[in-house]
Amino acid sequence: MRRRLVKENRPKVILYGLGPIGISTGKILAQRQSIEIVSAIEIADDKAGKDLGELLGIKAARGITVSKTLGEAKNYGIADVVVHTTSSFVETVFPQLEEIISGGMNCVSSTEELFFPILKAPDATRKIDELAKKYGVTVVGTGVNPGFVMDTLPLFLTGVCERVDEVHIQRRVDASKRRLPLQKKVGATLDADEFYKRVETGTLGHIGLRESLQYLAVNLGWNLDDIEEQVDPVISEKDITTEYFHVKKGQVAGIKHIARGFTNGKAVLSLDLRMYVGAEKSFDRITIGGNPSLEIEVKQGTPGDIATASILANSVSLAMHADPGLINTKYPMWPHCEKL
Amino acid sequence: MRRRLVKENRPKVILYGLGPIGISTGKILAQRQSIEIVSAIEIADDKAGKDLGELLGIKAARGITVSKTLGEAKNYGIADVVVHTTSSFVETVFPQLEEIISGGMNCVSSTEELFFPILKAPDATRKIDELAKKYGVTVVGTGVNPGFVMDTLPLFLTGVCERVDEVHIQRRVDASKRRLPLQKKVGATLDADEFYKRVETGTLGHIGLRESLQYLAVNLGWNLDDIEEQVDPVISEKDITTEYFHVKKGQVAGIKHIARGFTNGKAVLSLDLRMYVGAEKSFDRITIGGNPSLEIEVKQGTPGDIATASILANSVSLAMHADPGLINTKYPMWPHCEKL
């Protein structure tokens, strides 16, 4: 099917999901004059039926009543792009994506697993990609991490390398400057036992680290023998007081989540993410071993909250311009080093 | 015209131009097992007629005799990608590109002006783009600078920004560690008068800085009121001895080339490139002012020589996968911030 042309220069956007990320992204989009938000979807009772402008705190978005489902939404199927922020997992979002794509709408999603789902969910990935091609729409899974710091940015940097032997990425986030939910999310104030229990039940840990690692390996043309993933607490070495609470010496200050990819027993890829209260500073550091070797630092790091909402908002144009299909199942459209 | 399919997995490459960059790129490509170099072109008498393997110093490339023109080359029109490294200027390379494209071959070119030629050479740009679409091939103009440090990398970084107000880029290259031609190219050992004379005749100065600036402005959606470009000598404050020669105190140590883009009297874009012997260290620094603001440093900088050859070699796959046309006349296929 041919891509539907946008009849005017103002892409029509539907917000699907009004959790913290959906709200932040909505705020950015509502302030972009060349984009028009035409509908919003949120199943939660405290938001459905409300006025979007009030939820976003932005006048320009007034007059749009939040619907419970996409099917009920005004402009269903007339919109150009759905900005989708409901869940981290491909399995959960699959029926939602089916509905969006079959409605003939492009989709930008914050679903972490959707950034590079081919290895974890090959069947769903192929179905999404085929369906998107059938309806002539583009599906973009993105965010700051996965989507930027530990995958696309390092791969972009390899564009100037003749040869890449290893890639190591460190991300340090001083959680004490972040919002309360993030401080809770990293497990601050827990004891170590409780921390590990929550890791086992899947309520602690960063989603998408494995996807970032696999995206790098596949696009560098590397066959990994093994992947190791490890989540541990960072134990506070002193008493720390944040805006919200106290972390005592010996309690959990936050999380250390590391993924490594091995070839011939050597960790050729490592993604080392630490988010905890009391981190001396935030930074992102990408080290590429090869020819040339490169070391890149993002001073102060890439601020997670605003960066995620921004890259989702900035992907609306990408979803309108890129070829139909699921975006990271295709060759990235910029030069990068690959083993050839 | 439909894109011609590559019948086997080994793209056939022609090297067009065997100057220092052509040779370096050829060395990389000759060592990539999944690429096959099928011809080489060089007009210079000391290379035409010679064996490519000997010129590259690589056995795998033996048996290919260097032709003087593309028309005479074996496999003309059968190759998938021409790696073109002949001149910095669009006007000079235009007939060469016409021949490559009309031969049905994709092209990766180091021509600096070709990185973003639409503003300087709009007619040639449109003709190249139209011709490439007619023949179903992709033309990529790239390099480390323009092509990476001061344009695509900063634009890539804006993908995580809600809003970009200004972008400032510094590149410092300690020329004393570089090859003799580069030390000469930056004007080392000249006196200031001679330096400015050479700038006037166009034999000194970095080509492509204006193109990098315009690429950033157009893709960020900014209308610049004015562009200023200034080339000055860096005067040595002490006697310096390199592997090749002595720079006395008061002589030119190298070049300072700055381009600025203004809106409402403010320099919202600045590209500040300094290459000189005796620079304390090499680095690239990208500062983005906006929300969030970001500061990124490439420690030791991106090494120019190997990086340029690498990005050319890495663009062979891009030229095979991207949609037909001239690459930077289209929307970049990754999220970036734009004024909307």
Side-chain angles (χ1 to χ4, degrees):
Chain A
M1 182 190 264
R2 265 176 55 82
R3 172 174 295 274
R4 187 160 43 83
L5 292 171
V6 186
K7 292 195 187 68
E8 41 176 63
N9 276 330
R10 249 180 132 206
K12 290 182 173 58
V13 172
I14 294 179
L15 299 178
Y16 189 152
L18 293 174
I21 296 177
I23 291 283
S24 301
T25 311
K27 280 182 186 173
I28 296 174
L29 291 170
Q31 292 177 92
R32 293 200 168 167
Q33 295 183 351
S34 58
I35 281 173
E36 188 187 0
I37 299 177
V38 295
S39 269
I41 326 289
E42 170 58 58
I43 201 159
D45 282 326
D46 59 335
K47 287 171 184 162
K50 293 256 169 77
D51 184 81
L52 180 65
E54 279 170 34
L55 290 173
L56 297 182
I58 290 179
K59 278 189 190 173
R62 281 197 193 155
I64 295 167
T65 305
V66 176
S67 308
K68 273 219 166 186
T69 69
L70 185 59
E72 291 169 7
K74 206 178 122 191
N75 296 302
Y76 169 76
I78 295 173
D80 302 295
V81 181
V82 174
V83 174
H84 169 267
T85 57
T86 66
S87 157
S88 300
F89 309 104
V90 166
E91 206 175 300
T92 311
V93 302
F94 184 74
Q96 299 168 355
L97 295 179
E98 266 192 311
E99 194 183 5
I100 293 167
I101 297 168
S102 309
M105 297 175 285
N106 300 293
C107 180
V108 172
S109 175
S110 67
T111 298
E112 283 93 335
E113 286 185 354
L114 192 69
F115 169 69
F116 195 66
I118 186 76
L119 296 177
K120 183 165 184 193
D123 291 343
T125 304
R126 272 190 286 271
K127 278 184 202 155
I128 293 166
D129 190 47
E130 282 165 16
L131 207 59
K133 283 174 181 155
K134 180 178 164 192
Y135 285 92
V137 300
T138 306
V139 178
V140 180
T142 191
V144 68
N145 200 26
F148 187 77
V149 175
M150 290 183 150
D151 36 59
T152 64
L153 178 57
L155 189 69
F156 195 88
L157 294 167
T158 70
V160 292
C161 296
E162 171 194 357
R163 199 189 76 238
V164 176
D165 304 321
E166 44 194 309
V167 179
H168 303 288
I169 305 159
Q170 296 175 291
R171 178 161 166 79
R172 296 287 174 276
V173 179
D174 177 5
S176 59
K177 285 164 190 154
R178 298 284 293 273
R179 61 187 204 278
L180 178 60
L182 188 95
Q183 296 190 21
K184 282 194 177 159
K185 200 177 105 179
V186 300
T189 73
L190 297 180
D191 62 34
D193 283 352
E194 178 64 20
F195 180 95
Y196 283 114
K197 268 183 213 155
R198 295 207 189 171
V199 170
E200 292 221 345
T201 56
T203 54
L204 264 183
H206 175 71
I207 297 156
L209 210 60
R210 182 173 286 254
E211 280 74 13
S212 292
L213 191 90
Q214 289 169 330
Y215 170 89
L216 277 178
V218 166
N219 285 300
L220 289 167
W222 296 357
N223 290 312
L224 299 178
D225 302 330
D226 197 15
I227 289 178
E228 258 182 29
E229 213 177 340
Q230 175 98 21
V231 184
D232 291 299
V234 176
I235 302 296
S236 192
E237 291 172 1
K238 54 182 180 190
D239 288 10
I240 297 169
T241 303
T242 78
E243 195 183 334
Y244 304 108
F245 46 46
H246 308 283
V247 179
K248 289 187 197 134
K249 185 179 168 177
Q251 282 185 331
V252 172
I255 196 167
K256 179 169 80 169
H257 191 158
I258 299 176
R260 292 192 184 88
F262 295 83
T263 54
N264 301 321
K266 188 183 172 188
V268 289
L269 286 175
S270 70
L271 313 189
D272 176 335
L273 172 64
R274 300 180 197 197
M275 302 196 282
Y276 56 103
V277 299
E280 279 188 19
K281 58 172 191 165
S282 299
F283 63 85
D284 300 326
R285 187 177 297 138
I286 299 165
T287 310
I288 295 171
N291 186 33
S293 291
L294 294 172
E295 189 186 330
I296 290 87
E297 188 168 321
V298 183
K299 307 273 172 83
Q300 326 292 332
T302 316
D305 299 332
I306 181 67
T308 297
S310 300
I311 201 167
L312 287 166
N314 292 335
S315 296
V316 167
S317 292
L318 178 65
M320 307 268 301
H321 286 86
D323 283 343
L326 175 57
I327 206 121
N328 285 337
T329 56
K330 298 176 278 193
Y331 185 91
M333 285 302 144
W334 23 270
H336 59 276
C337 194
E338 48 189 326
K339 200 181 168 192
L340 287 169
Chain B
M1 185 188 268
R2 261 174 59 83
R3 172 174 296 272
R4 186 159 45 80
L5 292 172
V6 184
K7 292 195 186 67
E8 41 177 66
N9 277 330
R10 248 179 133 206
K12 291 183 174 57
V13 172
I14 294 180
L15 299 178
Y16 190 151
L18 293 175
I21 296 177
I23 291 284
S24 302
T25 312
K27 281 182 185 171
I28 297 174
L29 290 171
Q31 293 176 91
R32 293 201 169 168
Q33 295 181 351
S34 60
I35 280 174
E36 187 187 1
I37 299 179
V38 294
S39 270
I41 326 288
E42 171 56 57
I43 200 159
D45 283 325
D46 60 334
K47 287 172 185 163
K50 293 255 169 77
D51 184 80
L52 180 65
E54 281 172 32
L55 289 174
L56 297 182
I58 290 179
K59 278 188 189 172
R62 281 196 194 156
I64 295 167
T65 305
V66 175
S67 309
K68 273 220 166 188
T69 68
L70 185 59
E72 291 167 11
K74 208 178 121 191
N75 296 303
Y76 170 78
I78 296 173
D80 303 295
V81 181
V82 175
V83 174
H84 170 267
T85 58
T86 66
S87 157
S88 301
F89 309 104
V90 167
E91 205 174 302
T92 310
V93 301
F94 184 73
Q96 300 168 355
L97 296 179
E98 265 192 312
E99 195 182 4
I100 294 166
I101 298 167
S102 308
M105 297 175 285
N106 300 293
C107 180
V108 172
S109 175
S110 67
T111 298
E112 283 92 335
E113 285 184 356
L114 193 68
F115 169 70
F116 194 67
I118 186 76
L119 296 177
K120 183 166 183 194
D123 291 343
T125 304
R126 272 190 286 269
K127 279 183 201 157
I128 294 165
D129 190 48
E130 283 167 14
L131 206 60
K133 284 175 181 155
K134 180 177 163 190
Y135 285 93
V137 300
T138 305
V139 179
V140 180
T142 191
V144 68
N145 201 26
F148 187 75
V149 175
M150 290 183 149
D151 36 60
T152 62
L153 177 57
L155 189 69
F156 195 87
L157 294 166
T158 69
V160 291
C161 296
E162 171 194 359
R163 199 187 76 238
V164 176
D165 303 322
E166 46 193 307
V167 179
H168 304 287
I169 306 158
Q170 295 175 293
R171 178 159 163 81
R172 296 285 174 276
V173 179
D174 178 5
S176 58
K177 284 164 193 156
R178 297 286 292 273
R179 62 187 205 277
L180 179 60
L182 188 97
Q183 295 191 22
K184 281 193 176 158
K185 200 179 105 179
V186 302
T189 75
L190 298 179
D191 63 32
D193 282 354
E194 180 63 21
F195 180 95
Y196 282 115
K197 267 183 211 154
R198 295 204 191 173
V199 170
E200 291 224 342
T201 57
T203 53
L204 266 184
H206 175 71
I207 298 158
L209 211 60
R210 182 174 288 255
E211 281 73 13
S212 292
L213 191 90
Q214 288 169 332
Y215 170 89
L216 277 178
V218 166
N219 285 301
L220 290 166
W222 296 357
N223 290 314
L224 299 178
D225 302 331
D226 197 15
I227 289 178
E228 258 182 29
E229 212 176 341
Q230 175 101 20
V231 183
D232 290 300
V234 176
I235 301 296
S236 190
E237 290 173 0
K238 55 184 178 187
D239 288 10
I240 297 169
T241 302
T242 77
E243 195 183 334
Y244 304 108
F245 46 45
H246 308 283
V247 178
K248 290 189 196 132
K249 183 179 169 179
Q251 282 184 332
V252 172
I255 196 167
K256 178 170 80 172
H257 193 159
I258 298 175
R260 291 192 184 89
F262 293 85
T263 53
N264 301 322
K266 188 181 174 189
V268 288
L269 285 175
S270 70
L271 313 189
D272 176 336
L273 174 63
R274 302 182 197 195
M275 301 197 283
Y276 58 103
V277 299
E280 279 186 20
K281 60 172 191 164
S282 299
F283 64 86
D284 301 324
R285 187 176 297 139
I286 298 165
T287 310
I288 295 170
N291 186 34
S293 292
L294 294 171
E295 190 186 327
I296 290 88
E297 188 168 319
V298 183
K299 308 274 173 83
Q300 326 292 332
T302 317
D305 299 332
I306 182 66
T308 297
S310 301
I311 201 168
L312 287 167
N314 291 335
S315 296
V316 166
S317 292
L318 178 65
M320 308 265 304
H321 286 85
D323 284 343
L326 175 59
I327 205 120
N328 284 338
T329 57
K330 299 176 277 194
Y331 185 90
M333 284 304 143
W334 21 272
H336 59 276
C337 192
E338 50 190 324
K339 199 182 168 191
L340 287 167

